[in-house]
């Protein structure tokens, strides 16, 4: 380890230090370096992570408006996941179904924990059905459900039979995996098994795609919808932002899947390819250059002169607007330092936006991503499968037996494009794109956060609500890259402009130097501990 890493881990007991050191790397972009990721957080360490239920219910299913997401558990779990993520939705008409502002819960009590909660769950499903007549209900397990052995799948099957609508369960108990990441996988499996392919839809346009891993935080998906519409691409379904379960049912009718957040949704992309032969590519719409690159890559896939011309027209027009704002702000932000520690993909994507402002990312990491999100998908075959990963159902997907649904044309197209060097099914990860010697840390702890701030004295720190005020009390502004605080959208060209203006506000001010905390000069709590 480097002297900085040595210093960061110096406060830990020996065994803990050894383990944490494996999650820290002084980056060397052109060399293969292995980072420890997706392993249990050491008990006692203050982590940024959340739970499996959060990844399943809150993240993947949460932003879909026409399914009732019913939480089987104590009310706190529902309250936690109730409108906190800023995933926006826009029903097409005022009378369209939208259950997102409700919190549906079985409100488990001690009595249910002792005698079982299945009866209450059935009642709750019937009640939700009577009140709203939804087309689908998802049932989400919280920690106690797994502990007492309630069978959400059996109850869902029974209720599906009784009520005649699509009802399915998720074994996404909070503790089931080491983080939210397990919840993504569980959600992907169930959505694929119970939703994708349920319905068909006749083709309406020449170019059809799904946007995977875009959750419409702060309106991000709205920006992208407008962009696709303008260039003439039909967006069939988004998994899941401003989304409907109905559109996911015919998501298998597209020509291409584009993957924004690789961590949370790569499973569905892979499964759709195995079953239907639909290829996928990695996309990034954070930053104007990244947006242009992704649009061009999509254009190259469809290979249509009119589409390509339209894409170029939009890029030229919008890039010029972005450049004007960038040129005005960049002289004031150039040379500043940033750090970002967010879930599983933004810590990578947002480095692009900072780069456009001349801001260097000196340290970054994910809360719960896997080695492939750091080092690239090439390492997947070498990732050791541990007991925690084995705890998550791995479903086997085979080629559809319906010849009309198998897209041989796309399989051939993929092969032909690959010959020309076009990359499918790949994500190169964050580390190859970071500067030499930048510090990469997985599942950063609170102590490590404080050490980094002391060492680098960054101009801005990007993370979540739990970190926000602690970091700001040390005189460093914190931009939430989860909820965007009150801002956004930040995707595509318009989003880049919003982000640049926000960074100007946060970086070009002396106000943070004035932050003074009483404990700096006069510690309020003084103590010592003997072990
Ligand atoms: Fe993907 Fe996300 Fe993220 Fe994520 Fe999340 Fe999120 Fe995130 Mo918060 S799906 S990994 S589980 S981009 S909720 S919209 S902001 S941690 S970096
Ligand atoms: C989650 C959701 C979260 C939390 C954000 C935060 C989000 O992981 O359960 O810690 O500020 O984006 O809302 O990641």
């Amino acid at each position: 380890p480097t002297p900085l890493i040595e210093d960061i881990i110096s406060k830990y007991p020996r065994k803990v230090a050894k383990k944490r050191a494996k999650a820290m790397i002084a980056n060397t972009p052109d060399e293969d370096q292995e980072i420890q990721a997706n392993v249990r957080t050491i008990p006692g360490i203050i982590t940024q992570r959340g739970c499996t239920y959060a990844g399943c219910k809150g993240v993947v299913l949460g932003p879909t408006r026409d399914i009732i997401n019913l939480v089987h558990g104590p009310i706190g779990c529902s309250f936690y996941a109730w409108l906190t993520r800023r995933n926006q939705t826009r029903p097409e008409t005022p009378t369209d179904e939208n259950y997102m502002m409700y919190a549906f819960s079985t409100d488990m009590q001690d009595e249910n924990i002792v005698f079982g909660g299945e009866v209450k769950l059935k009642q709750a499903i019937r009640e939700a059905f009577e009140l709203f007549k939804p087309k689908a209900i998802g049932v989400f397990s919280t920690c106690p459900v797994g502990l007492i052995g309630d069978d959400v799948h059996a109850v869902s099957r029974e209720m599906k039979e009784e009520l005649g609508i699509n009802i399915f369960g998720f074994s996404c108990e909070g503790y089931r995996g080491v983080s939210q990441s397990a919840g993504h996988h569980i959600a992907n499996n169930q959505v694929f098994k119970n939703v994708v392919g349920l319905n068909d839809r006749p083709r309406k346009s020449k170019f059809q795609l799904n946007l995977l891993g875009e959750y419409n935080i702060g309106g991000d998906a709205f920006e992208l919808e407008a962009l696709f519409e303008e260039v003439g691409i039909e967006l069939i379904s988004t998994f899941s932002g401003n989304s409907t379960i109905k559109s996911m049912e015919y998501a298998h009718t597209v020509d291409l899947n584009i993957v924004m957040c690789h961590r949370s949704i790569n499973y569905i992309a892979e499964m759709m390819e195995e079953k239907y032969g639909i290829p996928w590519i990695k996309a990034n719409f954070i930053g104007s250059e990244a947006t242009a690159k992704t649009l061009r890559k999509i254009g190259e896939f469809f290979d249509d002169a009119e589409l390509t011309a339209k894409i170029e027209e939009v890029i030229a027009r919008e890039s010029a607007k972005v450049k004007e704002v960038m040129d005005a702000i960049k002289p004031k932000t150039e040379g500043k330092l940033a750090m970002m520690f967010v879930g599983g993909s933004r810590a990578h994507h947002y480095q692009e936006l900072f780069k456009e402002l001349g801001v260097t990312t000196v340290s970054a990491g994910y809360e719960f991503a896997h080695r492939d999100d750091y080092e690239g998908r090439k390492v997947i075959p070498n990732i050791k499968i541990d007991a925690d990963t084995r705890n998550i159902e791995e479903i086997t997907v085979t080629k559809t037996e319906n010849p009309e649904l198998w897209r041989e044309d796309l399989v051939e197209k993929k092969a032909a494009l690959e010959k020309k060097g076009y990359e499918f099914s790949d994500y190169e990860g964050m580390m190859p794109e970071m500067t030499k010697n930048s510090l990469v840390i997985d599942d950063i702890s609170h102590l490590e956060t404080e050490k980094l701030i002391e060492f680098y004295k960054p101009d801005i720190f990007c993370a979540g609500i739990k970190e926000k005020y602690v970091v700001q009390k040390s005189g460093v502004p914190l931009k939430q890259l989860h909820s965007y605080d009150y801002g956004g959208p930040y995707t595509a060209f318009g989003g880049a402009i919003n982000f640049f203006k926000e960074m100007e506000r946060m970086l070009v001010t002396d106000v943070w130097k004035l932050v003074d905390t009483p404990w700096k000069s006069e510690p309020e709590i003084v103590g010592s501990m003997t072990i």
Side-chain angles (χ1 to χ4, degrees):
T2 63
L4 172 60
I5 295 178
E6 293 276 7
D7 180 51
I8 294 172
I9 60 178
S10 64
K11 272 265 186 342
Y12 289 137
R14 203 172 47 85
K15 262 193 180 161
V16 175
K18 204 170 145 207
K19 197 154 180 221
R20 284 304 301 152
K22 291 187 193 147
M24 297 175 202
I25 277 184
N27 192 45
T28 315
D30 40 12
E31 263 173 42
D32 289 338
Q33 290 171 299
E34 184 177 329
I35 188 162
Q36 169 185 280
N38 191 31
V39 298
R40 289 184 190 194
T41 302
I42 300 162
I45 275 185
I46 304 179
T47 168
Q48 297 180 319
R49 282 178 172 172
C51 68
T52 300
Y53 154 81
C56 183
K57 193 273 170 191
V59 174
V60 179
L61 269 296
T64 299
R65 61 176 175 262
D66 58 346
I67 176 171
I68 284 188
N69 289 325
L70 173 61
V71 177
H72 188 30
I75 196 65
C77 304
S78 285
F79 187 76
Y80 162 77
W82 189 19
L83 296 178
T84 48
R85 192 156 158 264
R86 293 196 74 234
N87 41 224
Q88 302 184 359
T89 204
R90 200 180 273 161
E92 277 162 32
T93 69
T95 51
D96 271 12
E97 287 167 282
N98 178 11
Y99 307 117
M100 272 167 51
M101 60 289 211
Y102 294 95
F104 296 94
S105 169
T106 53
D107 184 20
M108 271 180 137
Q109 301 295 320
D110 299 359
E111 193 189 307
N112 310 121
I113 303 291
V114 176
F115 298 107
E118 291 185 5
V119 172
K120 198 169 190 191
L121 175 59
K122 285 182 202 173
Q123 280 168 352
I125 294 174
R126 286 194 191 103
E127 190 182 331
F129 178 74
E130 285 309 317
L131 283 172
F132 297 98
K133 299 283 181 326
K135 55 176 80 71
I137 299 179
V139 178
F140 298 85
S141 307
T142 56
C143 293
V145 171
L147 295 175
I148 64 174
D150 276 3
D151 188 343
V152 297
H153 305 287
V155 170
S156 298
R157 276 195 301 273
E158 193 186 323
M159 288 293 105
K160 181 176 175 174
E161 187 89 344
E162 182 182 312
L163 304 173
I165 58 163
N166 194 8
I167 303 178
F168 49 102
F170 297 84
S171 289
C172 57
E173 290 85 354
Y175 59 77
R176 190 167 279 270
V178 303
S179 69
Q180 291 97 315
S181 171
H184 302 147
H185 198 163
I186 293 163
N188 277 237
N189 285 350
Q190 294 303 80
V191 168
F192 193 75
K193 279 201 295 199
N194 296 290
V195 182
V196 176
L198 275 189
N199 264 313
D200 249 328
R201 176 180 177 275
R203 176 177 283 271
K204 288 192 188 149
S205 62
K206 265 201 317 200
F207 319 113
Q208 300 192 150
L209 51 77
N210 293 319
L211 176 55
L212 307 185
E214 167 46 65
Y215 301 92
N216 202 21
I217 311 303
D220 276 355
F222 295 150
E223 282 290 309
L224 302 180
E225 286 167 11
L227 194 60
F228 290 134
E229 194 177 337
E230 185 178 4
V231 298
I233 291 174
E234 195 188 3
L235 180 58
I236 297 296
S237 189
T238 302
F239 288 61
S240 49
N242 192 28
S243 45
T244 61
I245 208 86
K246 200 169 137 203
S247 69
M248 291 179 186
E249 291 177 359
Y250 50 74
H252 61 298
T253 59
V254 296
D255 309 309
L256 179 68
N257 278 319
I258 61 170
V259 175
M260 239 327 239
C261 170
H262 172 265
R263 182 63 269 135
S264 60
I265 209 93
N266 72 88
Y267 318 95
I268 281 186
E270 289 275 289
M271 291 189 283
M272 276 206 196
E273 179 151 20
E274 277 159 40
K275 188 161 179 184
Y276 304 106
I278 302 163
W280 69 268
I281 57 168
K282 176 75 178 70
N284 182 11
F285 291 102
I286 305 291
S288 63
E289 262 179 49
T291 302
K293 201 168 140 197
T294 299
L295 280 178
R296 288 196 173 111
K297 187 156 181 179
I298 296 170
E300 216 181 317
F301 175 82
F302 287 114
D303 191 23
D304 176 276
E306 203 183 320
L307 177 67
T308 308
K310 191 72 201 169
I311 286 176
E312 289 306 327
E313 180 198 319
V314 171
I315 292 175
R317 187 194 68 214
E318 294 301 312
S319 303
K321 288 190 211 159
V322 175
K323 191 170 178 303
E324 204 184 311
V325 180
M326 195 159 71
D327 288 348
I329 295 175
K330 197 171 171 179
K332 302 182 225 170
T333 52
E334 192 139 41
K336 305 243 182 210
L337 306 181
M339 286 184 179
M340 53 208 78
F341 294 93
V342 213
S345 90
R346 295 185 175 178
H348 178 194
H349 288 164
Y350 277 79
Q351 292 188 30
E352 288 271 349
L353 269 174
F354 280 109
K355 218 183 280 169
E356 292 183 358
L357 284 182
V359 176
T360 309
T361 302
V362 285
S363 185
Y366 302 123
E367 277 173 43
F368 50 70
H370 300 196
R371 276 183 57 205
D372 35 319
D373 303 287
Y374 286 104
E375 303 167 54
R377 280 183 73 92
K378 63 176 193 291
V379 304
I380 291 179
N382 314 325
I383 295 178
K384 229 177 42 227
I385 309 289
D386 61 10
D388 288 306
T389 303
R390 250 180 242 121
N391 202 19
I392 307 162
E393 184 194 19
E394 187 70 54
I395 57 176
T396 326
V397 178
T398 48
K399 185 174 163 177
T400 170
E401 278 163 17
N402 181 347
E404 277 172 35
L405 294 183
W406 176 255
R407 299 292 303 272
E408 192 58 34
D409 60 324
L410 295 177
V411 176
E412 283 163 17
K413 187 172 190 150
K414 177 179 172 181
L417 278 167
E418 269 179 336
K419 270 206 192 114
K420 293 192 212 157
Y422 191 102
E423 270 185 14
F424 287 98
S425 322
D426 199 21
Y427 174 41
E428 284 173 10
M430 172 166 88
M431 282 163 46
E433 289 199 352
M434 285 182 68
T435 50
K436 193 168 163 55
N437 285 329
S438 51
L439 188 62
V440 183
I441 304 189
D442 182 67
D443 185 18
I444 195 171
S445 75
H446 187 85
L447 173 85
E448 294 159 13
T449 303
E450 286 189 359
K451 286 269 185 191
L452 283 192
I453 291 175
E454 243 172 67
F455 181 81
Y456 285 107
K457 301 188 177 47
D459 298 289
I460 188 150
F461 197 101
C462 303
I465 191 64
K466 300 189 290 296
E467 296 76 48
K468 186 169 177 91
Y469 300 100
V470 182
V471 169
Q472 290 193 161
K473 280 173 191 165
S474 63
V476 176
L478 187 142
K479 175 67 187 169
Q480 292 193 63
L481 282 191
H482 297 263
S483 68
Y484 302 157
D485 295 297
Y486 315 98
Y490 294 140
T491 44
F493 304 104
I497 292 176
N498 287 342
F499 194 76
F500 294 161
K501 289 184 176 164
E502 173 79 345
M503 284 309 107
E504 181 184 25
R505 275 193 291 273
M506 294 184 81
L507 287 166
V508 189
T509 167
D510 285 333
V511 74
W512 298 102
K513 298 200 183 83
L514 303 175
V515 173
D516 199 13
T517 46
W519 57 85
K520 266 192 197 157
S521 46
E522 228 182 293
E524 285 172 4
I525 304 172
V526 184
S528 64
M529 197 169 73
T530 37
I531 306 172

